[in-house]
Structure formats: structure tokens, C-alpha cells
Amino acid sequence: MAKQLSTNDLAVAAAILRGGGLVAFPTETVFGLGADATSPDAISRIFKAKGRPSDNPLIVHLAEFDQLNEVCEGVTPIAEKLLQRFAPGPLTVVLPKKPCICSAATANLSSVAVRFPSHPTARSLLKQVALPIAAPSANRSGSPSATTWQSVLRDLDGRIDAIVCDEACALGLESTVVDCTDNDTPILLRSGHVTLEDLQTVVPNIRTLGSLTSVAMANSPGLRHRHYQPRARVRLCESMVELADDEKPRSAYIGLGSDSLTELGLVQLCTSVEDYAMNLYEFFRRCDASGMEIIWCQRVPERGVGLALMDRLYRASDRSG
Ligand code: TXA
Ligand code: MG
């Protein structure tokens, strides 16, 4: 059984991490499953607990900017500019790695992904540990990320040492990941709450994966794997579709708006794209818990946070991988 810690118990959580244990903790995006990024044993336990393919590298979390030089070989000027503008916060930069980060954490890549979370609990824990902490999202591999501690426990209890119980994550989608290893052309590998438009104000020439070759795609291993999928089938729609009466009790809907959809099994009406993003994964989990077979998800325009939301919806609805 995982120890359930409160935000007053961060010294206990830090001691577990320093001893090579696994601790789930909240961040502003989703819950992370932390372990010492310099310990091959601790890192192998993360992959085992999640059932994560070993070729999918982890993000290293830091509290202080001056720790960056301990884990990265050369901080490119572009990475520095991005971090100055968007960190601490939901931005991850990929840079050349230093040997102290164990190779299993980065799936043997020569680069390392680094993020400075802004969540006060995460920051305080990272400060107390004073080690680089690798933390993938705290869910079973392939499932939706967990945005509440209860969802973390449902996925990982019995497989991890402790969890820091705190409020639900405010943003609800994983961080924006930017490959900064080539200083001339940064590449957006995963969209998030630091939006493409935000990034373009600092690096107007940033490329997106749509314009990349398969060689470049191979550098973003996370994209090869099945992601964010509930058990129920996810279908995208422009607005609520007409359903036969016998389908309604097993169908769910999430989207913007205030239409009354009372005959459906589960409905989540969101007040904004941000609200939709915050609620999406927990809604997927509620749908699975109550035996929904189809989850209809309303499309949103692919700009701002809508780009990240649609990215996750496409992946959740893709049954090919
Ligand atoms: O918001 C977040 O980023 C959360 C919280 C816990 O910080 N973490 C998270 O981790 O979403 P995870 O493991 O679920 O996703 C990490 C993503 C994957 O797509 C992975 O392939 C990519 O980052 N990544 C990690 N290291 C990389 C590297 N060296 N080069 C390219 N992509 C990398
Ligand atoms: Mg994940």
C-alpha cells in the first residue's frame, strides 16, 4: 500500500525519494511519479510500476535554475530565453544530457528533457530532495494521465511507495515539450498550456512536427506510443450527434456549451477550452468507472490551449497504434 502523505509531510516524501523510492506528487499539469534521476535502480522501478516501454524517456524535474548546468551539457541560448519567459511553469525543454542522469531515464538518448514545475508542493518537495527527479505522468502506461491523487492511487497503489495528497491539478494536460538541442531551430514536440503562439513570441521560427521527417520523429519517442486512452471508445464530433435511444445510456459527452443532454449516461459541459482541458482526463476515468462504451468529445479550434486539447483527443480516439 502506498503511504498517503499530506503536504505537511514533504520531508518524509523527500527522504523516500533520496532512498531510491517512488513518490507521486502534484504538479500544475498532472500528477508526476517521481524517482531519483541519478539512480538506475530507482528509474527501473518507475518503468516497472507504470508498465512503460523502456524506449520512452522521462522528464527530469528541478527546483532551481542553477541546477540546470548539473544535468545539461550546454544550455542553448534559445532554451535560456524560453526558460526565462515560461519557467517555472508547464514548459519542458530538451537539451544535451550530462552523464549524472542515468541512461535508462532518457532511454539511452544523448538528450534530457527538463522542467521546472510552478506548483508550490512540487517546488517545495524538489527543493527538499535537492536531486534531479525524473517524473513521468503518474498513471499506468497508455491510460489517461491522473489529475487527482485518487486517480493516481487507483492506477498505482501497491506499485509505489508514497503519494502526496493534494488538490486536483489546475491545468490538466501535460507540459509543452520543446526540443532545443539545435539552437537554430527549436521543435515543438508536444503542445500544452505554453501555447505555440506563446512560444512564437520568443522563437518565431519554431517548427512543429507536422513539417518534420520521420528521422526527426524518431527523436521524439513519446509520439510512437499509445497514449491517453480510456477503455471506452473516444469519438470526435462538431456538436452533439443524434443517437438511437438504446445507445444513450452507454454514451457520454464532453464539450463546451450548455445544451441539456440529460438522456446520456454521463455529460460534462465545460465553460471554456481551459475548463475542458482541466476536466478531460478525469471525465475519461469516470466514464470507464461507470461502464460507458462511447465518449463523444466536441472538437475545438486548434489554437491556444485548443491545439494541445485536440492533440490529446486525436490520440485518445486513435485505435490504430
Ligand atoms: O506535465 C508533464 O510534463 C508531466 C508532469 C508530471 O511533469 N510529465 C509528463 O511525463 O507528462 P511523461 O513521461 O508522461 O511524458 C514525457 C514526454 C514523452 O512524450 C517523452 O517522449 C518526452 O516527454 N521526452 C522525454 N525526454 C525526451 C527527450 N530526451 N527527447 C525527446 N522527448 C523526450
Ligand atoms: Mg504520460
Side-chain angles (χ1 to χ4, degrees):
M1 292 289 279
K3 270 199 186 106
Q4 294 180 26
L5 304 174
S6 85
T7 52
N8 296 321
D9 296 327
L10 295 184
V12 178
I16 296 173
L17 286 169
R18 292 192 69 85
L22 302 187
V23 178
F25 61 94
T27 82
E28 67 278 20
T29 56
V30 299
F31 272 77
L33 178 59
D36 177 359
T38 67
S39 158
D41 284 348
I43 294 307
S44 86
R45 292 189 61 209
I46 284 193
F47 282 91
K48 213 161 150 198
K50 284 190 53 120
R52 182 177 177 109
S54 60
D55 65 351
N56 194 0
L58 310 177
I59 295 175
V60 170
H61 295 64
L62 302 175
E64 311 286 358
F65 290 134
D66 55 19
Q67 290 175 282
L68 196 57
N69 288 314
E70 292 167 26
V71 305
C72 301
E73 199 51 77
V75 180
T76 55
I78 277 186
E80 218 157 78
K81 275 203 251 175
L82 289 172
L83 290 172
Q84 261 166 23
R85 174 76 179 76
F86 301 113
L91 174 72
T92 296
V93 293
V94 176
L95 286 165
K97 132 179 157 49
K98 274 205 171 146
C100 73
I101 301 297
C102 71
S103 53
T106 61
N108 292 316
L109 293 175
S110 55
S111 61
V112 59
V114 184
R115 164 160 131 77
F116 298 85
S118 61
H119 193 292
T121 304
R123 277 181 68 75
S124 173
L125 176 61
L126 291 167
K127 274 187 197 169
Q128 292 190 44
V129 186
L131 281 170
I133 295 297
S137 51
N139 53 281
R140 293 293 283 275
S141 198
S143 295
S145 296
T147 57
T148 64
W149 65 263
Q150 292 90 341
S151 292
V152 175
L153 269 193
R154 237 166 270 132
D155 269 23
L156 297 173
D157 200 12
R159 298 170 164 259
I160 64 177
D161 298 299
I163 172 166
V164 179
C165 302
D166 203 345
E167 286 170 16
C169 303
L171 300 181
L173 297 180
E174 305 79 359
S175 63
T176 305
V177 181
V178 180
D179 184 343
C180 297
T181 50
D182 176 340
N183 190 52
D184 294 329
T185 321
I187 303 168
L188 177 61
L189 297 179
R190 182 173 73 184
S191 50
H193 272 76
V194 173
T195 65
L196 179 59
E197 296 85 343
D198 292 335
L199 294 165
Q200 282 166 335
T201 64
V202 179
V203 281
N205 66 332
I206 188 166
R207 292 177 67 184
T208 56
L209 286 178
S211 53
L212 291 178
T213 62
S214 56
V215 177
M217 291 284 278
N219 290 332
S220 182
L223 301 173
R224 290 197 294 267
H225 298 287
R226 195 171 75 83
H227 261 311
Y228 320 114
Q229 293 193 339
R231 252 196 327 274
R233 294 191 81 85
V234 172
R235 296 266 173 81
L236 308 188
C237 60
E238 298 300 329
S239 59
M240 194 48 213
V241 284
E242 282 297 316
L243 298 178
D245 277 347
D246 64 332
E247 289 177 286
K248 288 181 180 173
R250 292 168 285 108
S251 300
Y253 176 83
I254 182 167
L256 302 171
S258 54
D259 299 357
S260 137
L261 299 161
T262 45
E263 290 164 13
L264 297 189
L266 270 177
V267 174
Q268 178 107 31
L269 298 175
C270 307
T271 54
S272 62
V273 171
E274 286 74 15
D275 187 45
Y276 192 166
M278 183 181 80
N279 283 295
L280 181 71
Y281 292 146
E282 202 57 26
F283 186 69
F284 280 174
R285 286 169 175 272
R286 268 205 292 142
C287 287
D288 279 348
S290 51
M292 294 295 119
E293 286 172 7
I294 295 189
I295 308 172
W296 292 96
C297 299
Q298 186 183 26
R299 292 172 185 273
V300 298
E302 293 184 23
R303 56 170 182 266
V305 176
L307 185 65
L309 181 58
M310 286 306 299
D311 168 66
R312 305 315 189 268
L313 290 177
Y314 286 131
R315 289 160 191 268
S317 64
D318 177 12
R319 293 275 155 165
S320 62

